[in-house]
């Protein structure tokens, strides 16, 4: 697998296979027995790629389907593409995928938020049409991230007498489908498989260290760094090395500067390969309780987000994404967390370019029963989150870091959100996750997002930054704005006393239906959200150990149906259509006059 994003260069081509594909629901997961991977899908309907399939159809059976669905399309491989390495590369398929080309199985992938590719060099028919078939499965169980549970409900209408039900312990809707672009790629037979870059600052100089991973026997490798105007600023040869940039322009939050690293490799018995990669020179570290970017204290202002929009669900949508970055800048945000799963590579590229700082989160959410029916039962145990879950979690951390380590915008890894960290068995689990994350990337701090009170949190001390989700005046003392300041101050001070680590408030907020007004403020009104945010944030200004504030959530988003959700989670500061609620103006005033 190559974690390099597909690009065009003098040696490479990437053909976007986005468009309208054939689609069919597999009601009893028997598509393979019926040979659906071997021939054109019969009775297929139209489905856009990339997009979640759930909200495209008007049929509840599509929206609420649990199990397999099938996608298919034909594509042409140009006759000029012979004698190359050919691959089909998926940005993400949620949650599990199996892929066939011309009836031959070429890939399988577990996990809904990271890329994978199928090498089709030996299967593709050059100069002809090829049929690509993808089986997509959306089932979550205790071995997947996020985890979930499959249950069965008696259903006389179903021939088997039962219907499958998917339950999960997080609120966002379990969107599924081919969520990110699918590229048909051509590279030379021998090629640059991977490049990793780290940067340092030495006085006025920037140092860019690179390391390459090559397929084939290279004759010569060169690395040339260009500035934003295209001028060469440093050069090196060899599979790895360091490039010194005199008088380097740094990648800074709110003021991104990107160099371009051009790596060329020539191979014995093959064509040369060239890959170009944006590089931002910056450092990140924690010292004296502060989060330092380029040795300057950085205070996180921003949001927990979701990849979520009308109709397309979690499918990549450039219009929504660019609008989101514009809104973040307008409101004075400098950062966001990829709650609760890795976001698309295209979003990470935007963050690099726009100078927005990112906390990059693994899809480990819902490892908790909260106050539900199973409250009191253990999560970290043989029949639930177990060794298999851990093995998958470690794999996801490795893959996430491999995908995102070159992004200057990414300053920290978050390994999980609101896990049941009061359990003894959570300790060895998260010890292993923390160790693996540090091993894969010794250059960035790591964090975990907790909802627990300090004294019953057993794993949080393993991390450099503790993210805390607090809902004072909402889930705690609902309707009582008067108690917020006292409660949040006491709570955050205790967390700092117990852990002695920088604290980042990763979630606080209130559900608000845009257009509902009430004075004195009442829950769900715009006044209540605005007041709750102002009161909570007024406390942050006097807490030195606090390194940032992220409001939950950037925008309203779809959830599973339930009695506390009014067509989704309404804690957005913006509506799902990306227009401001009153609280957006409150935050804009605060953040544009920020003291920290
Ligand atoms: C927190 C979760 C987040 C939820 C939020 C809420 O981290 O995913 O959406 O609560 O209930 O517990 O709004």
């Amino acid at each position: 697998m190559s974690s390099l994003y597909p690009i065009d260069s003098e040696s490479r081509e990437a053909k976007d296979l986005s468009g309208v594909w054939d689609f069919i629901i597999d009601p009893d997961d028997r598509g393979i027995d019926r040979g659906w991977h071997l021939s054109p899908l019969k009775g297929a309907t139209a489905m856009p790629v990339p997009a979640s399939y759930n909200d495209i159809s008007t049929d509840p059976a599509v929206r609420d389907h649990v199990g397999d669905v099938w996608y298919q399309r034909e594509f042409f491989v140009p006759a000029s593409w012979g004698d190359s390495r050919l691959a089909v590369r998926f940005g993400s398929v949620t949650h599990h995928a199996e892929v066939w080309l011309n009836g031959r199985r070429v890939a399988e992938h577990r996990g809904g938020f990271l890329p994978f590719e199928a090498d089709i060099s030996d299967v593709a028919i050059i100069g002809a049409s090829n049929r690509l078939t993808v089986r997509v499965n959306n089932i979550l169980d205790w071995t997947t991230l996020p985890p979930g549970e499959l249950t069965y409900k008696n259903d006389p209408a179903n021939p088997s007498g039962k219907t499958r039900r998917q339950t999960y312990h997080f609120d966002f809707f379990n969107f599924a489908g081919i969520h990110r672009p699918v590229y048909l790629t051509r590279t030379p037979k021998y090629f640059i498989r991977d490049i990793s870059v780290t940067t340092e600052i030495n006085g006025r100089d920037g140092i860019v260290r690179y390391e390459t991973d090559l397929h084939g026997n290279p004759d010569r490798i060169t690395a040339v760094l260009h500035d934003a105007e295209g001028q060469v600023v440093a050069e090196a040869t060899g599979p790895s090395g360091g490039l010194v940039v005199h008088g380097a322009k740094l990648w800074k939050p709110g003021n991104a500067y990107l160099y371009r690293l051009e790596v060329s490799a020539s191979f014995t018995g093959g064509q040369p390969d060239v890959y170009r990669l944006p590089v931002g020179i910056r450092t990140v570290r924690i010292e004296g309780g502060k989060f330092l970017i380029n040795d300057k204290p950085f205070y996180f202002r921003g949001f927990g987000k979701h990849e979520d929009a009308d109709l397309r669900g979690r499918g990549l949508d450039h219009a929504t994404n660019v609008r989101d970055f514009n809104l973040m800048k307008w409101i004075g945000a400098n950062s966001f967390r990829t709650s609760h799963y890795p976001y698309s590579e295209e979003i990470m590229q935007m963050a690099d370019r726009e100078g927005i700082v990112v906390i990059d989160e693994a899809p480990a959410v819902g490892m908790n029963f909260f106050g539900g029916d199973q409250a009191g039962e253990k999560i970290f145990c043989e029949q639930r989150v177990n060794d298999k879950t851990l093995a998958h979690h470690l794999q996801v951390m490795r893959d996430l870091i491999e995908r995102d380590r070159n992004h200057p915008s990414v300053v920290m890894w978050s390994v999980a959100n609101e896990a049941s960290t009061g359990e003894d068995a959570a300790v060895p689990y998260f010890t292993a996750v923390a160790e693996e994350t540090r091993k894969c990337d010794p250059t960035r701090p790591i964090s975990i997002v907790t909802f627990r009170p300090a004294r019953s949190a057993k794993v949080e001390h393993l991390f450099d930054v503790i993210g805390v989700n607090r809902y004072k005046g909402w889930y705690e003392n609902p309707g009582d704005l008067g108690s917020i300041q006292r409660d949040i101050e006491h709570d955050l001070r205790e967390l700092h006393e117990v852990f002695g680590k920088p604290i980042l408030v990763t979630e606080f907020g209130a559900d608000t239906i845009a257009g509902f007004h009430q004075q004195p403020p009442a829950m769900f009104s715009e006044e209540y959200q605005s007041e709750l945010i102002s009161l909570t944030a007024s406390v942050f200004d006097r807490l030195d150990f606090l390194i940032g504030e992220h409001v939950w959530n950037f925008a309203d988003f779809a959830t599973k149906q339930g009695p506390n959700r009014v067509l989704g989670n309404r804690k957005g500061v913006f509506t799902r259509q990306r227009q401001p609620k009153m609280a957006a103006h409150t935050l804009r005033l605060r953040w544009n006059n920020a003291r920290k």
Side-chain angles (χ1 to χ4, degrees):
M1 162 73 196
S2 167
S3 57
L4 295 176
Y5 188 78
I7 60 158
D8 286 327
S9 79
E10 47 276 61
S11 60
R12 296 177 166 235
E13 280 177 82
K15 203 166 141 167
D16 188 353
L17 298 182
S18 299
V20 178
W21 292 37
D22 286 342
F23 174 86
I24 194 163
I25 292 274
D26 186 346
D28 47 10
D29 295 353
R30 294 202 38 220
I32 296 187
D33 301 345
R34 296 187 176 116
W36 289 4
H37 52 304
L38 300 174
S39 54
L41 293 174
K42 288 190 193 72
T45 57
M47 189 56 71
V49 171
S52 301
Y53 59 74
N54 309 81
D55 289 349
I56 301 294
S57 148
T58 52
D59 183 355
V62 176
R63 184 191 61 197
D64 301 330
H65 177 68
V66 178
D68 286 348
V69 300
W70 292 71
Y71 285 77
Q72 197 173 67
R73 70 161 281 166
E74 306 249 331
F75 61 81
F76 211 92
V77 179
S80 59
W81 281 24
D83 204 28
S84 302
R85 179 187 190 258
L86 305 183
V88 178
R89 204 245 195 206
F90 295 81
S92 74
V93 177
T94 312
H95 291 282
H96 318 298
E98 199 173 354
V99 184
W100 293 263
L101 188 74
N102 304 327
R104 289 255 306 268
R105 191 169 174 280
V106 288
E108 182 172 14
H109 186 258
R110 271 168 65 78
F113 306 97
L114 291 170
F116 63 94
E117 68 174 17
D119 184 338
I120 58 161
S121 313
D122 298 335
V123 185
I125 311 168
I126 313 293
S129 188
N130 290 261
R131 193 180 54 248
L132 181 65
T133 309
V134 188
R135 179 175 73 87
V136 180
N137 179 284
N138 67 348
I139 293 177
L140 299 174
D141 62 28
W142 287 108
T143 66
T144 62
L145 286 192
E149 290 174 288
L150 203 57
T151 53
Y152 293 86
K153 187 177 84 172
N154 288 336
D155 180 4
N158 196 309
S160 69
K162 288 189 188 318
T163 304
R164 278 197 293 218
R165 273 177 18 156
Q166 175 75 67
T167 54
Y168 42 87
H169 306 281
F170 49 87
D171 72 340
F172 56 89
F173 188 83
N174 186 31
F175 281 118
I178 302 181
H179 280 158
R180 297 178 190 157
V182 184
Y183 280 105
L184 172 64
T185 66
R186 181 187 76 80
T187 53
K189 264 198 175 145
Y190 303 120
F191 62 101
I192 303 166
R193 193 157 38 206
D194 209 352
I195 304 168
S196 73
V197 169
T198 54
T199 62
E200 291 156 36
I201 299 169
N202 183 11
R204 295 194 56 244
D205 296 345
I207 300 159
V208 176
R209 294 194 195 286
Y210 72 92
E211 211 170 306
T212 55
D213 173 14
L214 304 164
H215 177 70
N217 277 334
D219 290 330
R220 186 177 157 80
I221 302 155
T222 60
V224 181
L225 194 71
H226 298 262
D227 66 14
E229 279 76 51
Q231 300 300 315
V232 174
V233 291
E235 279 178 88
T237 54
S240 60
L243 297 147
V244 179
V245 186
H246 299 298
K249 296 201 181 82
L250 302 184
W251 187 96
K252 295 179 186 158
N255 189 10
Y257 188 93
L258 292 174
Y259 290 88
R260 189 162 295 274
L261 180 66
E262 178 186 293
V263 177
S264 313
S266 53
F267 295 91
T268 324
Q271 302 292 314
D273 188 20
V274 182
Y275 192 91
R276 294 183 180 82
L277 181 79
V279 171
I281 301 177
R282 59 107 186 90
T283 60
V284 179
R285 78 201 156 90
I286 291 174
E287 203 179 275
K290 301 277 177 232
F291 196 96
L292 305 177
I293 299 184
N294 303 332
D295 287 334
K296 296 208 174 67
F298 179 74
Y299 185 81
F300 293 81
R301 286 189 295 273
F303 301 95
K305 287 184 94 264
H306 267 297
E307 286 183 307
D308 172 276
D310 282 337
L311 307 182
R312 58 211 27 81
R314 229 173 284 310
L316 175 77
D317 180 48
H318 291 303
T320 307
N321 293 343
V322 175
R323 170 80 177 172
D324 284 5
F325 277 89
N326 288 339
L327 289 173
M328 283 190 273
K329 288 183 167 177
W330 172 82
I331 203 169
N334 59 14
S335 55
F336 66 89
R337 172 171 63 117
T338 69
S339 41
H340 295 304
Y341 39 80
Y343 291 179
S344 69
E345 290 155 292
E346 292 78 5
I347 291 181
M348 309 309 275
Q349 291 160 3
M350 270 293 285
D352 288 347
R353 159 189 178 150
E354 300 297 315
I356 297 281
V357 168
V358 180
I359 299 170
D360 206 347
E361 187 158 279
V365 54
M367 292 180 167
N368 211 316
F369 289 135
F370 300 101
D373 295 346
Q374 292 148 295
E377 289 185 38
K378 294 267 184 277
I379 290 276
F380 292 85
C381 61
E382 199 40 52
Q383 54 299 13
R384 297 201 176 105
V385 172
N386 55 29
D387 286 350
K388 270 194 173 164
T389 326
L390 175 60
H392 183 56
H393 200 154
L394 300 181
Q395 186 62 47
V396 167
M397 292 319 302
R398 288 192 284 271
D399 292 349
L400 171 62
I401 293 170
E402 189 174 311
R403 192 195 74 162
D404 285 352
R405 65 187 161 197
N406 292 335
H407 291 288
S409 56
V410 174
V411 299
M412 184 154 66
W413 308 108
S414 165
V415 305
N417 181 75
E418 296 192 344
S420 185
T421 59
E423 295 177 27
D424 290 336
V427 180
Y429 184 97
F430 281 107
T431 305
V433 173
E435 272 171 14
E436 189 71 13
T437 309
R438 285 191 201 284
K439 195 173 100 196
C440 294
D441 182 6
T443 73
R444 288 177 178 88
I446 62 171
S447 70
I448 190 163
V449 174
T450 190
F451 75 113
R452 297 203 64 89
R455 303 209 185 272
S456 62
K458 296 189 176 154
V459 314
E460 284 69 358
H461 63 277
L462 300 165
F463 296 86
D464 305 310
V465 168
I466 300 172
V468 292
N469 296 348
R470 289 295 186 260
Y471 286 96
K472 313 286 181 196
W474 191 259
Y475 295 122
E476 248 179 86
N477 294 329
D480 184 1
L481 290 171
S483 61
I484 290 179
Q485 286 170 305
R486 186 195 57 229
D487 287 357
I488 190 81
E489 177 153 7
H490 176 265
D491 191 343
L492 295 176
R493 283 197 190 282
E494 187 178 63
L495 274 157
H496 184 246
E497 254 165 55
V498 171
F499 294 112
K501 305 239 176 171
I503 307 285
L504 173 61
V505 175
T506 32
E507 293 184 21
F508 67 110
D511 282 87
T512 306
I513 312 290
F516 278 19
H517 287 280
Q518 194 82 17
Q519 189 60 33
M523 292 174 82
F524 296 98
S525 70
E526 299 214 27
E527 284 76 7
Y528 194 88
Q529 183 187 37
S530 173
E531 276 289 294
L532 182 144
I533 289 175
S534 294
L535 289 166
T536 315
S538 68
V539 174
F540 299 160
D541 292 334
R542 44 179 192 265
L543 305 178
D544 270 1
F545 53 82
L546 205 76
I547 61 159
E549 57 196 61
H550 277 178
V551 178
W552 189 257
N553 187 285
F554 175 78
D556 294 346
F557 60 89
T559 60
K560 62 187 166 194
Q561 298 187 57
N564 341 326
R565 294 292 184 250
V566 189
L567 286 179
N569 185 313
R570 300 300 190 117
K571 294 193 185 70
V573 164
F574 297 98
T575 62
R576 201 179 188 211
Q577 294 70 38
R578 273 57 183 182
Q579 297 301 342
K581 298 183 192 170
M582 192 168 132
H585 298 281
T586 311
L587 276 169
R588 184 167 183 243
L589 270 177
R590 172 179 170 76
W591 285 346
N592 284 312
N593 299 305
R595 270 173 281 162
K596 285 211 188 190

